[in-house]
Amino acid sequence: MDEEVGAAGRQQVQWKSYCRTLSLLAFQSFGVVYGDLSTSPLYVYRNSLSGRLNDYLDETTIFGLFSLVFWTFTLIPLLKYVIIVLSADDNGEGGTFALYSLLCRHAKFSLLPNQQAADEELSTYYHPGTDRTVVSSPFKRFLEKHRKLRTCLLLFVLFGACMVIGDGVLTPTISVLSAISGLQDPATSGLGDGWIVLIACVVLVGLFALQHRGTHRVAFLFAPIVVFWLLSIGIIGLYNIIHWNPRIFVALSPHYIVKFFNRTGKDGWISLGGVLLAITGTEAMFADLGHFSAASIRLAFAGVIYPCLVLQYMGQAAFLSKNIPAVHNSFYLSIPSALFWPMFVIATLAAIVGSQAIISATFSIVKQCLALGCFPRVKVVHTSRWIYGQIYIPEINWIMMVLCLAATLGFRDITVIGNAYGLACITVMFVTTCLMSLVIIFVWQKNLLISLLFLVFFGALEAAYLSAAVMKVPQGGWGPIALSAVFMSIMYAWHYGTRRKYQFDLQNKVSMKWILNLGPSLGIMRVPGIGLIYTELVTGVPAIFSHFVTNLPAFHQVLVFVCVKSVPVPYVPMDERYLIGRIGPREYRMYRCIVRYGYKDVQKDDENFENHLVMSIARFIQMEAEESASSAGSYESSPEGRMAVVHTTDTTGTGLVVRDSSVDAAGTSLPLTRSSKSETLRSLQSIYELESVGGVSRRRRVRFQIDEEERIDPQVRDELSDLLEAKEAGVAYIIGHSYVKARKNSNFLKTFAINYAYSFLRKNCRGPSVTLHIPHISLIEVGMIYYV
């Protein structure tokens, strides 16, 4: 009996803890997820009732428009996203790329060139509950068989990504401009259009200038502002309903939508481009899922967002039904005059928070494109120690700022910007619907009929809004299309050039027979030290190696071929990141290290990479010896040997012990990457450290020693001794400095794509040594020309 009471008490404590955590996450989500969606009332009616709909302004039209807004807001954000799409997370991550990643893993849709069977053994690879024994459907086999269809799927996803970037440009523009437009009211300051645009530009510059400080500092801090904003507009909406027109409740009936279209016809259809602005920002609920949980986002939406925004749209419609001339600025004019200035300040702050959320999402999208090999190398800065995945990309930040200012100064009209903004948002939603229908079949393994029902219902609904948005292309809708065309061209040129370069490497690998014929010395002098040769190949020896050894008479005592690659999962656990293998016989001292990252992982400047590498190779040597003893040499069954997942979190099983060694026995600093026998290089190293880290932080210096207390096989001891001697002598990083050119017999399009577009992007993006965080003092670049 006492045990049952105790168990019930523990369950109650756990339930209270869960509720407290859920409430905290839901509260924090307002500052990150809902800023954009909550500021939509600033411009929805203004945009919807512009143009030809001015000829139909009466109570019936206003009621019909509100009914459209209500049912759109109910069917897409509530039914589609909150109830269905939020369940399609990829290990807690959401967004377009999460859906594509799920499809790549559960069906063979991936176009990443260096994938391995070992990647499928990652703990985060398959969706929980997936039955891997299910026989593939004919539809799945058809899609997997045709490479062109998989390429079209990737281009479709990239098009959606480009529209998200367009969304990231237009959201700050329309949100800030709409908030500042409240100053145009003659009853307040009555500022002209020029002053409104100027103030909006100043706010936008300030917003982008603060990005380097990290999104979490802005978003989490302003969660109370968004909550206060939502509660305020909800109460004002309720006041307007009671004060102006309580009959607005009858417009909840979809019958008023039919009456609206019967009265307005084609002009009413075109107005859908303005109605869809009520759901802009909905995609952020799914895209920012990784920072919260599906339950917390659902709680925030159902408990606060949905009722407050419905009351606000209903109250604004009630006000407009009795104040038709107020259409040009209905939100601010519907606010009681005593509350104008407080609401203006809160609206401006809410607009900034809403802009912040989509800017952060744009950084994530670019990072994910980078992981797919579809975007030029850019600098990715991790901005938070506590929130994993919060990043800042300087190049994208300043490009977006320039584009935002260009849109603000070029369009200068909220209605025109709204046309562009609506097209970008509805396109992203349509892409999500199409991908979601595939996820239902291949990941959730549901009936094809269920997938078709989802696609037909939501696809038809969004297609209706998309058609209305497309009709406004001449009135500003061309903006996101032009922007997407530019970014798609960049992505395609980079992806094409990268794939052609990889195929050249694959076709020109050095044969193992050639290496084995050279003998353990490789026909050259083996000097002390570890040489890390970076390559994109996961098997074989790259051509850069033969190019190096035929031009230089010496190479390092220990050679490690390092491949840093992306896999289609959001995160790779640290214990599963390193794959280690051997190349050739033991006496060659040649190894392969594959470092795997997910599309949300940030490749930070890992101060302990060299230490992790040494520990992982040492553990592999021990694992190989143990398994060889028990299973007659299974690791030596092929010239390439076998790859093994090696943990790098501690020295257990490595035969090594670690000593912190900031200072050596003579009291002088130990060099980090260069030979301790060279006084010149030692002094250069100390100067480099002071310049590169500014004297603020230093890399952790450790010295490895063989554990004398552990019984180790003599051959293993010799190999570990050679590895540690090489580590003490220093580590050199060898990468290829490639020049990619099209073959002389190539057609015009290929020549232009490789010799001009891809070459221009390579010259103007970050170098591989920067993105791989290689110390410049340890870097050796080998020049090669690729004729692809």
Side-chain angles (χ1 to χ4, degrees), residues 520 522 525-531 554-560 586-591 718-730:
L522 300 179
M525 179 70 70
R526 300 293 288 269
V527 298
I530 298 178
F555 215 87
H556 297 83
Q557 175 185 354
V558 174
L559 297 180
V560 184
R586 184 190 298 270
E587 58 270 18
Y588 280 59
R589 303 295 193 256
M590 294 171 62
Y591 309 93
D718 289 342
E719 190 168 2
L720 290 176
S721 179
D722 288 345
L723 177 65
L724 298 189
E725 285 178 12
K727 172 66 169 65
E728 288 301 314

Side-chain angles (χ1 to χ4, degrees), residues 576-683:
E576 302 178 47
R577 179 154 292 163
Y578 288 82
L579 268 176
I580 302 294
R582 185 189 295 281
I583 298 178
R586 184 190 298 270
E587 58 270 18
Y588 280 59
R589 303 295 193 256
M590 294 171 62
Y591 309 93
R592 184 182 306 284
C593 174
I594 298 173
V595 188
R596 302 179 291 185
Y597 287 95
Y599 61 83
K600 293 281 283 187
D601 278 323
V602 178
Q603 298 178 30
K604 295 183 288 186
D605 185 3
D606 189 350
E607 298 180 350
N608 298 314
F609 174 69
E610 294 169 11
N611 300 332
H612 286 159
L613 186 65
V614 169
M615 284 194 295
S616 58
I617 293 175
R619 183 176 277 110
F620 170 79
I621 293 169
Q622 290 277 56
M623 290 168 59
E624 181 189 47
E626 292 169 5
E627 188 158 331
S628 295
S630 62
S631 57
S634 63
Y635 275 88
E636 302 287 348
S637 58
S638 69
E640 279 276 335
R642 231 179 75 185
M643 303 295 293
V645 176
V646 178
H647 300 176
T648 61
T649 50
D650 55 55
T651 58
T652 306
T654 63
L656 304 179
V657 290
V658 179
R659 302 275 187 263
D660 280 324
S661 185
S662 298
V663 179
D664 68 4
T668 55
S669 295
L670 288 174
L672 175 65
T673 52
R674 291 276 51 89
S675 172
S676 57
K677 299 178 181 179
S678 170
E679 293 296 332
T680 304
L681 287 176
R682 181 179 294 185
S683 62

